[in-house]
Every structure is written in structure tokens, then in C-alpha cells.
Amino acid sequence: MKKILPALVPGFAAGVLAIVPVAKNFGCCLIIPAAAVAAVFLEQTSKGNKESVEMSRALVLGLLTGIFAALFGSAFDVIITLVTKSNELVSAFGELQKVLSNLPLSDEVKQQVSNLFTNMINDIQATGFSLVYTISMFFNSLITNIIFGLIGGLIGAKIYNSKNQAMNG
Amino acid sequence: MSGKLKFLLSFLIFLWIAGFMIEFVIPYFGFGAFLFPFLKNFYGNVCHQQPEKTIAISSHSMLVCARCGGIYFGAFLSSLIILVAKFQKSLPTKYFFIAGVPMLADVLLYSFGVYSYSKTVAFLTGLLLGSAAFLYFYDALLILFREKEKKEVK
């Protein structure tokens, strides 16, 4: 538990922030890398040592932060969707259809793409849950969060080590 | 780092950029229409995608906001630079924070209503931070490979 705790706390925070619209507007794509940087600093602070962080350990912390952020973010999204029977997909569907209608495609293709999403939206509006949407949303956030977590972990270690070197002369 | 790995990094960032530029690609590759809704959802994980903050050219827009677009284009630019230029010394951390200052200032100033949101300013400040962040990421990768080599020697 001690080994994953530094990634769990920022991962949870990032998962929460990623679904809060105001925070998402401010943080955008920087929430997960910032959480991974925080995980690196948190681990070093909790250890209380002044040694440099190994890049491989920073990678693991970034990976774990990404996984936790995806897990918590998806879980919160599912709960909110279940309660409100609406989510980003539902609210963005009108815009999605507008974009699709502007694309130079046959009506048949446009209809197929539209049907695919109408089914998911119908499920969400009727029951508050769509299995296809939940699975795609979880894997989407897992992939992006892991990528951004790894990047953030490495940058975090680089910042920590530079700061450490400067402080220790 | 070998040239192949540097090229791979550039290619991966290029793919990422091509993904959020899908609307511009669909007119030439129709199959992209099926990918479009999934990619919109995919990039929605890393960006708020507000239409008023997204760069649009002749009714086609990016799937990320101007600031995120700037960050990724900045990273791509830096990845192209490291393909031809060699970095002998690590960049001091202060430059990373300096590169982030214009973006932070822009976010704060338009949020407090000092001026209204500008896609150009958002893109340029993102470009600066993205290019700097990539150089730090690249430097960290070099250290990671060095650590791995040392462990293998032991």
C-alpha cells in the first residue's frame, strides 16, 4: 500500500477534477501530468530522503497515477450519469450531428454513424447506463491517462532531481 | 538515443496530432467518419473541447482547444528539432517554469476579465510550454535509458 499511496492520492484528485467542468476548463490536458508530478514529489516527501528519483520509479508512479485517475474518473462519471441520466455524450450529440452533416459523406454513412450514437444515448436517457459507452469511456480515459501519466512522471522526476541537485549543491 | 527512437517519438506525436485533426482528414479519407465520434470522445478525456475555444478553418475544427493544440504542435516542433540538433547539456528546470508563465498569465488574465479569450494567444502560449515540456520529457527519457544501461552492465 505504501508503494501505491503516492499515486493513489493525486490519481483520485485528478479523477475528480477531470469530471468537474470548471476544473477541466482550467486544467485541460495538464491535470493528469500535474497529478503524476505531484505523485513523484509526494513519494519523495513521504520518504523524507534527499536522494534523486529513479526514472523507472517515476514511470511506475506516472503509470499508477494514470490508472487510478481513469478508475476514479470513470466511476464518478458512471455514478453521475446514473443519477442525472445525462452526460457529455448526450449534451454534445447535437453538435456531433451538425459536424457530421457538414462532412462530405454519403447519407447512408452519416445515418450509420448517427444510429451508433443514438442507441447509446437512448440507453443513457432511459436507464442512466450504457455498457458500450461505459466500456469505451473507461478504455479511452485509461489510454490517455496512462500516456499523460507516464509523461508527467518523467517530467516530475526531472524537475525533482534538478531541484534536489541545486539544493544539495 | 538512436535516430530510430527519435523518429518514433516524432511519428507518435504526429499520429496524435492527426487524430485531433480528423475533421480535416475526413474529406480525403471517408472511413475517418466512423472514427470521428470515438476520437471526439477520446480527446474529450484530455480537453474540454469548447467550440468557442477551438480553432476552426472553413467549418472544420480541431478536436482539442487552441491551447491544447498549441501544446501538441509545440511538442511536435521540438521533436523535429531533436531529429537534427544534438543537446549536449540538460536544460535547467527554471526554463520549464519560465515557458509556463505566459500560459498561466493568459489563463489568469482572461479568467479575471482583463481581456477576452484569444485563440491565437492561447495557441502561442501552449506552443511555448509544449515545446519546452517535450525537451524535458526527452531529457528524462535519455536519463531513463542511461539508468537501464547501467543496470544491465551491473
Side-chain angles (χ1 to χ4, degrees):
Chain A
M1 189 66 184
K2 255 189 174 179
K3 286 203 165 184
I4 62 165
L5 200 62
L8 183 69
V9 178
F12 175 80
V16 174
L17 289 176
I19 57 153
V20 178
V22 179
K24 201 176 177 183
N25 289 355
F26 276 104
C28 224
C29 57
L30 300 177
I31 293 175
I32 305 297
V37 172
V40 171
F41 274 75
L42 209 62
E43 178 167 84
Q44 291 306 105
T45 311
S46 66
K47 273 184 183 173
N49 64 19
K50 287 174 182 168
E51 285 169 24
S52 295
V53 190
E54 279 197 2
M55 289 296 166
S56 49
R57 178 62 189 153
L59 267 187
V60 173
L61 283 172
L63 175 82
L64 288 173
T65 308
I67 293 171
F68 287 132
L71 280 172
F72 288 117
S74 304
F76 290 131
D77 195 273
V78 167
I79 293 167
I80 291 169
T81 307
L82 212 58
V83 175
T84 61
K85 292 191 169 50
S86 179
N87 59 17
E88 277 183 1
L89 184 75
V90 177
S91 50
F93 188 59
E95 192 210 328
L96 200 78
Q97 279 187 315
K98 218 164 74 185
V99 174
L100 270 177
S101 65
N102 284 334
L103 295 173
L105 299 164
S106 67
D107 288 340
E108 194 190 346
V109 173
K110 283 179 189 172
Q111 195 55 46
Q112 281 177 338
V113 177
S114 184
N115 286 348
L116 192 77
F117 280 81
T118 308
N119 291 339
M120 279 194 257
I121 286 164
N122 287 344
D123 284 345
I124 290 168
Q125 287 177 329
T127 62
F129 182 79
S130 160
L131 185 67
V132 181
Y133 170 76
T134 306
I135 291 170
S136 74
M137 186 249 313
F138 174 69
F139 282 103
N140 273 350
S141 57
L142 189 68
I143 294 167
T144 50
N145 289 357
I146 284 176
I147 294 170
F148 282 78
L150 291 173
I151 294 170
L154 283 180
I155 292 176
K158 178 89 181 64
I159 294 171
Y160 182 85
N161 291 345
S162 302
K163 202 178 143 220
N164 208 23
Q165 271 178 352
M167 279 172 76
N168 296 334
Chain B
M1 196 188 279
S2 73
K4 274 182 191 172
L5 270 170
K6 285 181 189 175
F7 182 77
L8 181 70
L9 272 179
S10 296
F11 181 69
L12 288 174
I13 302 173
F14 173 77
L15 273 186
W16 183 266
I17 290 174
F20 69 71
M21 301 285 282
I22 188 82
E23 268 194 51
F24 299 87
V25 176
I26 290 172
Y28 306 102
F29 302 98
F31 67 88
F34 287 96
L35 287 175
F36 174 75
F38 292 101
L39 287 175
K40 187 159 174 59
N41 188 245
F42 184 77
Y43 286 100
N45 286 310
V46 288
C47 183
H48 52 72
Q49 298 177 320
Q50 287 175 357
E52 66 274 16
K53 291 181 180 175
T54 306
I55 294 173
I57 303 164
S58 60
S59 83
H60 299 312
S61 45
M62 302 197 306
L63 296 185
V64 293
C65 68
R67 199 180 306 285
C68 288
I71 291 173
Y72 304 135
F73 273 106
F76 183 58
L77 203 68
S78 288
S79 76
L80 291 180
I81 291 169
I82 60 148
L83 273 176
V84 286
K86 265 193 174 181
F87 283 95
Q88 304 291 349
K89 265 176 86 177
S90 290
L91 281 170
T93 315
K94 64 177 177 186
Y95 293 124
F96 178 69
F97 291 108
I98 291 170
V101 169
M103 194 173 107
L104 185 69
D106 180 43
V107 171
L108 291 174
L109 290 173
Y110 93 76
S111 299
F112 287 113
V114 176
Y115 57 76
S116 48
Y117 183 85
S118 159
K119 288 178 192 175
T120 314
V121 176
F123 183 85
L124 290 175
T125 54
L127 193 83
L128 187 66
L129 181 67
S131 48
F134 179 82
L135 293 179
Y136 283 90
F137 169 69
Y138 174 70
D139 204 24
L141 266 185
L142 289 180
I143 298 168
L144 178 74
F145 286 128
R146 257 181 261 144
E147 273 178 11
K148 212 179 139 205
E149 274 171 21
K150 268 186 193 171
K151 276 182 187 168
E152 278 171 2
V153 169
K154 278 179 187 174

